[in-house]
Amino acid sequence: MRRLSLLIPLAGCILSFVSERVIAAPTPYSTMIVFGDSLSDSGQYIDLSGAVGDSTRFTNRTGPTYKEFKGEAYAPVAPMLLGAKLGVAPGDLAPSTSMTGDIDGNNWAVGGYRTDQIFKSITKVSKVTVPRDWFGAGSTLRSRRGYLVENGFKADPKALYFISGGGNDFLDERVRNPAEAGKAAQNLADSAFALQQAGARYIMVWMLPDLGLTPAIYGTPAQAGSSYLSAAFNTELAHQLSQIDAEVIPLNIPLLFREAVSDPFRFGLATGHNLVGTCFSGDECTENPQYGISSPTPDPARLLFNDSVHPTEAGQRLIADYAHSLLAAPWEVTLLPVMAQGTLNAHQDQLRNQWGSDNRQWQAPGQWRAFVAGGGQRLSIDEQNTSVSADGRGFNVNIGTSYRLDEHWRLGVATGLYRQRLETGAHESDYKLNSYLGSVFAQYQHNHWWGDAALTLGRLDYDDLNRKFALGTSEGMEKGQTDGHLRALSTRLGYDIAQASAPWSLSPFISADYARVEVSRYEEKGRRSTALSFEEQTLVSSRIGAGLLASYQFTAQTRVFGEAAHEHEFQDATQRLSIALNSLPNNSFKLEGYTPQSNLDRISLGISHKLTADLMLQAAYNVRKSDDVAQQGANIGISLNF
């Protein structure tokens, strides 16, 4: 969309550096490439009445006066804010067609562009022309070959493509009925399709804001018709986008804005004000009496619209945060199977600790041994390019029993209850998991050879999933719950090099582990613009390893034991999660998340002490470490022969 009236001359264009504070975050995209109209224009036109070296953007100035000729730059628009959050280089966020000789960037959005012009800026030629409200309207200031033409019709498959548009088709009276609305929507969908055909994989597309709920039209006889045609545009656009074989991420901007208007306090906006009937600047709209530019307390951060059609910096930030929340969701949600894998690791470590404590101290043939152990774990996950950092903690209780068949074999069962909590991301999203695990195991020993195997099955109950994210000056949160299950098989084969009469043992061993974690599909509650549904996730682990198992009998009652191993993971492909907005369920997309690590080291140390001939106390500490994941655990338990 373009500004309806802008009374400054233009002669060139200089990019303004994005003032958004950049925080550490995953950076899954190589760059960000933008197409659209004034809602996304990062500064194609020079600003001769503002800050030196700055460009005109279609939002409010940064203050403190917010007025022209005061040296105050325009606030950044949503793509600039989003790009900063994603770690995109500031130069890449610069306008594509600089008229000052500055290096061109990747933002091809131009104020005044209709959808057909957006399509041409991709496939044919991009032109920056004098807007219709200025002297010399329509004159070309600079032209440049379109994005795909410039790049040999090859699109970067790792880039994030961002498309907005449609409003100027209405303002230029090219949309007067549903058929014309559909044609404009088709132009925008064709833009996404052209990028996909050239190799683009990640394409974010705005749904058109409800033009009936803008200061330009709200309260006029055209309101109902504009809202109806805006909805028709979006219906056709959503349908066309669903047919494109790419990860097309829709932004439900009209729903987001309706939520902001109905609940302004949640978004940090002014309460008790008409947010769609007033604006900040008073440019072809009614200026807000309390927060408008001429009021005693001007504050565009409290208002949704700067002028008759363009958002304030608050509206732009709200859009950027909303877009980022969708992109960031898989960075967190793909950690749900990792939580379950951590629970499985803790369960298997506890079993191995029990076996280590029992080394050379099995019960007599035909006798049972019962054990109970409790413990706690800490899980630390470092940030990756496609997942956030996370910190987890949990506690558990395990009970089990074993039966010695004969001199060489022992069989057993064990069950465990685990409670785990994981906090992730800059806003400390909070995910909770209850796990119910059961194992059957077998152990073998003969002369120097020994071996063990355990089959584990588990039920997963994710009873409280709270995804949190920035949303304007406030914080958004979506809630959900789901379940899942896991199964695993773990085996070891070793050889004890010590004699049976020696007080020590040292056993090289090899191991093989398989695990499969499945987390069921779930929907976050409600149909808000930020609520998402997630398809089923499957995390498979296939590992082989080698290590040493050792123990030493200090006294007749006390024994220390330990284990060290290195394992290689074969299933290390980055997880991809299928997502859809609850409000647009037919427009699903897949994004990358957690990447399993290829190599793992683990160490355990423990001590056992016989209290009586049949009662034994044991304690152990375990550490697992890969490049990005560290897990620590400690447990203490008792065992009794009977």
Side-chain angles (χ1 to χ4, degrees):
M1 232 178 283
R2 66 166 175 262
R3 199 168 184 171
L4 295 181
S5 176
L6 194 59
L7 303 178
I8 60 172
L10 48 137
C13 171
I14 301 177
L15 171 70
S16 167
F17 183 79
V18 181
S19 60
E20 172 80 345
R21 180 175 63 94
V22 180
I23 61 174
T27 55
Y29 304 105
S30 59
T31 189
M32 183 172 168
I33 302 167
V34 181
F35 305 95
D37 53 24
S38 57
L39 294 174
S40 299
D41 187 339
S42 63
Q44 301 286 4
Y45 302 113
I46 195 168
D47 177 18
L48 296 182
S49 62
V52 176
D54 197 51
S55 300
T56 294
R57 287 183 287 275
F58 299 84
T59 185
N60 59 273
R61 295 186 184 275
T62 53
T65 71
Y66 307 100
K67 296 180 180 180
E68 297 179 351
F69 304 105
K70 300 294 184 179
E72 298 169 5
Y74 283 99
V77 293
M80 300 169 70
L81 297 169
L82 176 60
K85 283 176 171 285
L86 294 174
V88 176
D92 286 1
L93 302 172
S96 65
T97 316
S98 172
M99 294 177 288
T100 63
D102 285 352
I103 297 174
D104 292 332
N106 282 331
N107 189 317
W108 298 73
V110 177
Y113 263 8
R114 301 183 306 270
T115 56
D116 59 313
Q117 294 170 307
I118 294 170
F119 179 68
K120 290 178 181 177
S121 72
I122 298 172
T123 60
K124 294 183 180 179
V125 64
S126 178
K127 293 182 180 180
V128 177
T129 63
V130 178
R132 67 176 183 179
D133 301 339
W134 297 356
F135 178 77
S139 301
T140 299
L141 298 170
R142 183 185 168 190
S143 64
R144 183 183 175 190
R145 293 185 303 171
Y147 168 74
L148 289 180
V149 182
E150 284 270 325
N151 290 279
F153 285 88
K154 298 292 184 182
D156 181 356
K158 291 295 292 181
L160 175 65
Y161 293 84
F162 187 99
I163 303 174
S164 69
N168 288 312
D169 296 69
F170 286 76
L171 295 178
D172 286 353
E173 298 183 354
R174 293 197 174 199
V175 175
R176 294 159 295 185
N177 54 58
E180 292 176 340
K183 174 60 178 174
Q186 182 67 62
N187 288 336
L188 213 59
D190 286 345
S191 299
F193 181 71
L195 292 169
Q196 180 269 330
Q197 288 289 288
R201 296 304 305 159
Y202 303 101
I203 307 171
M204 179 169 276
V205 183
W206 280 26
M207 299 291 106
L208 180 68
D210 184 348
L211 298 181
L213 297 180
T214 61
I217 300 175
Y218 180 77
T220 71
Q223 179 181 343
S226 297
S227 293
Y228 171 73
L229 291 178
S230 298
F233 177 98
N234 286 330
T235 298
E236 181 62 21
L237 178 59
H239 172 71
Q240 293 294 333
L241 293 177
S242 69
Q243 310 302 307
I244 298 175
D245 184 20
E247 311 310 334
V248 181
I249 307 147
L251 296 181
N252 199 337
I253 302 299
L255 179 56
L256 178 70
F257 273 30
R258 284 197 297 271
E259 291 168 356
V261 170
S262 63
D263 188 7
F265 179 79
R266 176 185 172 222
F267 298 91
L269 300 173
T271 58
H273 290 258
N274 187 342
L275 296 179
V276 296
T278 63
C279 69
F280 175 69
S281 68
D283 186 2
E284 297 192 3
C285 56
T286 301
E287 183 182 334
N288 187 277
Q290 182 172 349
Y291 298 111
I293 194 170
S294 301
S295 71
T297 55
D299 188 358
R302 303 300 304 278
L303 302 175
L304 195 56
F305 286 96
N306 175 60
D307 54 32
S308 59
V309 290
H310 297 103
T312 59
E313 60 182 279
Q316 296 282 4
R317 187 174 299 276
L318 186 61
I319 294 166
D321 287 344
Y322 171 46
H324 189 263
S325 75
L326 306 187
L327 298 174
W331 306 346
E332 297 184 4
V333 177
T334 53
L335 297 181
L336 297 185
V338 182
M339 291 178 70
Q341 194 174 58
T343 296
L344 173 63
N345 292 339
H347 181 71
Q348 292 176 331
D349 285 344
Q350 197 282 322
L351 283 179
R352 292 191 183 107
N353 292 336
Q354 184 66 43
W355 300 339
S357 172
D358 293 348
N359 187 28
R360 294 190 177 183
Q361 300 184 101
W362 284 10
Q363 67 270 37
Q367 192 173 33
W368 291 86
R369 174 171 292 174
F371 60 86
V372 59
Q377 311 88 43
R378 292 298 302 266
L379 181 65
S380 178
I381 303 173
D382 292 339
E383 179 185 295
Q384 300 177 339
N385 282 341
T386 52
S387 69
V388 294
S389 61
D391 289 300
R393 58 188 182 274
F395 58 88
N396 66 79
V397 60
N398 288 270
I399 59 174
T401 186
S402 63
Y403 178 75
R404 187 167 181 179
L405 290 174
D406 54 31
E407 189 70 21
H408 306 303
W409 286 95
R410 188 169 74 155
L411 305 179
V413 296
T415 184
L417 170 63
Y418 292 76
R419 175 66 170 175
Q420 190 173 4
R421 179 177 184 177
L422 192 71
E423 293 183 347
T424 73
H427 293 266
E428 296 185 346
S429 297
D430 188 14
Y431 303 104
K432 297 183 178 67
L433 168 64
N434 295 317
S435 302
Y436 310 91
L437 306 184
S439 295
V440 294
F441 61 85
Q443 293 177 270
Y444 172 81
Q445 62 179 21
H446 180 62
N447 294 330
H448 294 271
W449 290 97
W450 62 269
D452 53 53
L455 174 65
T456 302
L457 301 177
R459 176 178 172 270
L460 310 174
D461 178 18
Y462 295 90
D463 64 341
D464 192 11
L465 306 177
N466 301 313
R467 183 172 60 90
K468 302 177 184 179
F469 45 87
L471 201 58
T473 59
S474 185
E475 181 181 82
M477 181 172 70
E478 297 295 346
K479 294 177 174 288
Q481 61 184 43
T482 188
D483 56 23
H485 59 272
L486 64 81
R487 56 185 182 271
L489 178 64
S490 176
T491 63
R492 295 183 301 177
L493 177 64
Y495 184 85
D496 190 348
I497 64 176
Q499 297 299 317
S501 59
W504 58 274
S505 68
L506 182 64
S507 301
F509 68 85
I510 57 174
S511 63
D513 292 84
Y514 172 84
R516 183 182 180 91
V517 177
E518 296 183 0
V519 179
S520 302
R521 179 189 185 278
Y522 77 97
E523 290 186 6
E524 293 173 329
K525 298 176 181 178
R527 290 293 183 270
R528 293 197 297 196
S529 59
T530 50
L532 301 173
S533 60
F534 304 96
E535 290 301 316
E536 181 182 76
Q537 297 185 66
T538 300
L539 180 62
V540 176
S541 173
S542 300
R543 306 191 308 274
I544 61 170
L548 286 173
L549 184 68
S551 66
Y552 185 79
Q553 192 77 40
F554 268 102
T555 69
Q557 291 78 32
T558 304
R559 189 177 190 86
V560 295
F561 56 90
E563 179 180 348
H566 176 80
E567 298 175 351
H568 177 74
E569 175 64 71
F570 292 93
Q571 305 288 341
D572 57 0
T574 298
Q575 301 296 294
R576 290 172 58 83
L577 180 58
S578 182
I579 305 170
L581 279 73
N582 289 354
S583 58
L584 293 169
N586 296 323
N587 294 82
S588 63
F589 49 93
K590 284 186 178 181
L591 298 178
E592 294 183 340
Y594 172 74
T595 302
Q597 301 301 288
S598 300
N599 294 286
L600 167 72
D601 295 301
R602 57 183 181 86
I603 298 174
S604 64
L605 295 171
I607 185 171
S608 64
H609 180 76
K610 282 189 175 182
L611 301 175
T612 69
D614 294 319
L615 183 64
M616 185 162 56
L617 176 69
Q618 60 268 339
Y621 174 73
N622 310 284
V623 178
R624 290 172 176 260
K625 183 70 174 70
S626 63
D627 288 341
D628 293 325
V629 179
Q631 182 174 349
Q632 304 176 67
N635 57 69
I636 186 170
I638 57 173
S639 59
L640 175 67
N641 296 336
F642 62 95

